[in-house]
Amino acid sequence: MDRRSFLLAGAATLALTRAQAQMNMPGMSHGRMQGMMGGAYDALALPEGAVFREVSKLANQATKPGAFAASLTAANARAEFVPGLSTPILAYNGQSPGPLIEVNEGDQVAIQFVNNIGEISTIHWHGVPVPADQDGAAMAPVADGTERAYSFTLPVGFAGTCWYHPHPHMKTAEQVYRGLAGAFIVKPKQDPVPAGYGDTVLQITDLRLAADGSMPPDTMIDHMNGRIGDHLLVNGLKNPVLTVAAGTRRRFRLLNATNARFLRLSFGAAPFTLLGTDGGYLEAPVPGQNEVFLPPASRLDVVVDFAEPGSFVLQTLAYEHGWMGPGRPDDTSQKLLSVKVATTRSAPLPPLPARLRDIENPGEPVVTRRLVLGENMGGMGGMGGMGMAMTINNRRFDMNRVDLTSKVGQLEMWEVSNPTDMDHPFHIHGNSFQLRELVDLKTGAVTPPPRRALLDVVNVPRGHAARLMVRQMLPGLRMYHCHILEHEDLGMMGLVNVQA
Ligand SMILES: [Cu+2]
């Protein structure tokens, strides 16, 4: 059964199978059930307006230069999002968001991971070019109560805005929405952007709370669409307030660490200058942007100009990404961060450089691959007997099956086709890629991206194909998948074996 037929059959009556009903009912809040039915939905109110806070950095325990060593312990913890209500969460070193890891290109990195969350987990270094056996992929789970040393040397020439999060088989979505994710910044040895611009991570997460303060499990609607919470948080706070002097130009690293939000963001009258994407700098700063777009898991490096006194709010704009079933949340005009610009003026900064770096034209591929994203909403007889499956080339993920075979250094074009009626953000492990063009599947119209950029996740809009220029530089097994985490867990994922 395809998605539309499922909608017609299922949404009118919400006649779920018994298994689906059992999957969805326990712990579901009244408000959420109403939300799922498409009616009124009263989310708990969260306090807003606290003073903005930066995420604290993970301290470097290494003593020699060019090395970074630390440990990360994932464990159950508690947070108080609503005063007086204690929420069980998952945290790294007691923090959610997890501590910021800041390293330099070329560094030797050693991180001891201790898993105390009560089930398997991993740490995936999202966007960081690490060897395949250090990638924290689902094939190498870390059992509860055990430790694992991750170690890798960062290549010289890679700097970017990355992050880390769990990637255990079929448990990624829950572990991330319960709190396990942090930023991982790789700095160039010589940063072309003056230090006076600062460097502030804005880690965006998505929180849903039941009336008792707990985080309800995913519903069937969440499995279909990806989990959309009730509150977007920045560095763990709802709409905190940052006060700056007039004339401030501030560098922000935007990290979409939500399970499934397509974030189209504006700062009102304060314009963005684009500096970089997932895999580091653009070739030149792009000033005068009134909005930015971050599909799930993507990052942007930007400077925002707060020229004149006043109030500026980072908030979501409408974006149509496709929605299945009832209960589509109102995801526009959500306030993320309020910036109060005082009348005192900041000292002027040196200008941004005219050029940031060169990004190579990848040239023509020697291999072309076609990957087709699919949604199968069939009943209990459906794929794998799970009732709902997300697929690539009609197959659900199987970690014992290699889907593609590649070679180190080989330039490939991956045409990721999305004939479904919902956008899917596509992520490839191992190395950044470039978007060559988007193709409209109906008209064949081809749209190149506005500029060269290194990405590790790209939105594949519904009814389109994304042609990606992919080159893996290290051997081993790599995952590729939709980064709506519920879709990943339901099987929209595959494995490429990169041969030396
Ligand atoms: Cu998806």
Side-chain angles (χ1 to χ4, degrees):
M1 197 186 304
D2 69 17
R3 207 178 148 107
R4 283 191 195 284
S5 319
F6 176 85
L7 254 183
L8 292 171
T13 58
L14 274 174
L16 312 181
T17 66
R18 189 179 302 150
Q20 284 166 332
Q22 283 168 349
M23 180 167 67
N24 290 312
M25 298 311 150
M28 183 185 292
S29 71
H30 181 62
R32 189 59 200 169
M33 193 60 208
Q34 285 184 318
M36 190 173 154
M37 302 289 283
Y41 179 172
D42 299 321
L44 282 176
L46 247 65
E48 300 180 38
V51 174
F52 171 80
R53 65 178 180 217
E54 305 226 7
V55 180
S56 64
K57 281 183 197 167
L58 186 60
N60 184 6
Q61 312 285 346
T63 49
K64 61 174 183 174
F68 184 92
S71 64
L72 280 175
T73 299
N76 288 280
R78 287 189 169 266
E80 200 173 284
F81 298 104
V82 177
L85 268 186
S86 175
T87 298
I89 65 166
L90 297 176
Y92 288 119
N93 294 1
Q95 291 175 236
S96 180
L100 163 63
I101 299 176
E102 194 180 274
V103 295
N104 295 304
E105 62 173 325
D107 276 0
Q108 281 187 306
V109 179
I111 294 179
Q112 187 71 16
F113 171 46
V114 183
N115 178 11
N116 281 335
I117 67 170
E119 63 180 15
I120 60 164
S121 191
T122 74
I123 303 182
H124 168 52
W125 314 100
H126 183 126
V128 187
V130 305
D133 61 357
Q134 304 299 313
D135 194 39
M139 296 81 79
V142 179
D144 176 46
T146 69
E147 302 191 9
R148 143 102 215 224
Y150 290 103
S151 69
F152 42 86
T153 300
L154 296 168
V156 173
F158 177 85
T161 307
C162 305
W163 60 304
Y164 61 95
H165 62 78
H167 214 308
H169 188 47
M170 298 183 78
K171 294 172 180 294
T172 300
E174 182 182 354
Q175 291 184 16
V176 172
Y177 78 65
R178 291 187 66 197
L180 292 181
F184 190 116
I185 307 288
V186 184
K187 297 210 150 204
K189 281 179 180 154
Q190 302 277 318
D191 197 332
V193 174
Y197 287 78
D199 195 351
T200 301
V201 169
L202 302 182
Q203 181 168 335
I204 301 165
T205 56
D206 194 4
L207 176 68
R208 181 191 300 160
L209 290 180
D212 65 356
S214 68
M215 294 183 189
D218 273 354
T219 66
M220 188 179 62
I221 293 291
D222 294 328
H223 288 121
M224 291 188 290
N225 294 288
R227 180 187 182 94
I228 303 294
D230 302 322
H231 309 279
L232 284 169
L233 307 182
V234 169
N235 298 355
L237 296 172
K238 182 161 183 175
N239 189 21
V241 175
L242 170 66
T243 303
V244 300
T248 293
R249 308 188 70 196
R250 183 82 169 243
R251 180 179 187 179
F252 293 111
R253 311 267 193 156
L254 304 171
L255 159 57
N256 184 346
T258 69
N259 280 33
R261 292 263 194 178
F262 294 83
L263 297 171
R264 187 179 155 224
L265 302 176
S266 152
F267 234 128
F272 297 94
T273 296
L274 306 180
L275 296 180
T277 52
D278 307 331
Y281 285 125
L282 301 167
E283 295 191 300
V286 182
Q289 303 296 298
N290 292 318
E291 59 178 77
V292 294
F293 179 64
L294 291 110
S298 71
R299 294 85 67 203
L300 284 174
D301 188 353
V302 300
V303 165
V304 182
D305 287 10
F306 302 104
E308 299 302 327
S311 188
F312 300 86
V313 180
L314 182 67
Q315 58 186 314
T316 58
L317 303 173
Y319 178 72
E320 184 50 65
H321 52 84
W323 186 265
M324 179 176 179
R328 161 130 197 204
D330 178 10
D331 48 11
T332 62
S333 304
Q334 308 262 319
K335 293 178 179 173
L336 287 158
L337 171 68
S338 293
V339 175
K340 306 281 181 219
V341 182
T343 50
T344 51
R345 292 208 78 85
S346 66
L349 285 168
L352 289 169
R355 190 86 185 160
L356 293 166
R357 66 145 159 192
D358 295 328
I359 297 177
E360 67 157 2
N361 180 348
E364 288 307 307
V366 297
V367 170
T368 296
R369 306 184 187 281
R370 189 148 189 267
L371 288 78
V372 181
L373 309 179
E375 302 162 353
N376 187 308
M377 301 297 157
M380 291 306 287
M383 303 183 77
M386 289 284 292
M388 193 188 316
M390 299 284 170
T391 60
I392 297 177
N393 291 348
N394 287 315
R395 299 200 286 200
R396 294 183 62 160
F397 177 68
D398 178 347
M399 73 167 89
N400 297 310
R401 183 191 68 225
V402 172
D403 298 282
L404 305 173
T405 302
S406 179
K407 280 191 193 130
V408 165
Q410 175 169 278
L411 181 65
E412 306 185 351
M413 185 170 83
W414 289 25
E415 183 179 283
V416 183
S417 186
N418 178 8
T420 75
D421 49 9
M422 163 175 197
D423 291 13
H424 295 281
F426 191 79
H427 171 51
I428 306 176
H429 291 218
N431 201 11
S432 305
F433 54 78
Q434 293 186 44
L435 173 64
R436 177 174 170 133
E437 57 206 12
L438 287 177
V439 184
D440 186 314
L441 294 176
K442 275 206 190 78
T443 66
V446 170
T447 310
R451 61 194 68 87
R452 277 187 203 150
L454 291 179
L455 308 171
D456 56 59
V457 58
V458 67
N459 188 39
V460 189
R462 60 204 197 286
H464 288 73
R467 290 184 176 146
L468 313 177
M469 303 309 290
V470 181
R471 196 198 307 265
Q472 294 284 356
M473 299 310 290
L474 293 169
L477 276 178
R478 299 290 187 176
M479 311 181 94
Y480 54 86
H481 56 89
C482 176
H483 220 289
I484 289 177
L485 295 178
E486 282 73 14
H487 293 178
E488 171 193 323
D489 282 349
L490 285 168
M492 193 180 279
M493 181 153 63
L495 281 180
V496 55
N497 184 18
V498 183
Q499 295 175 333

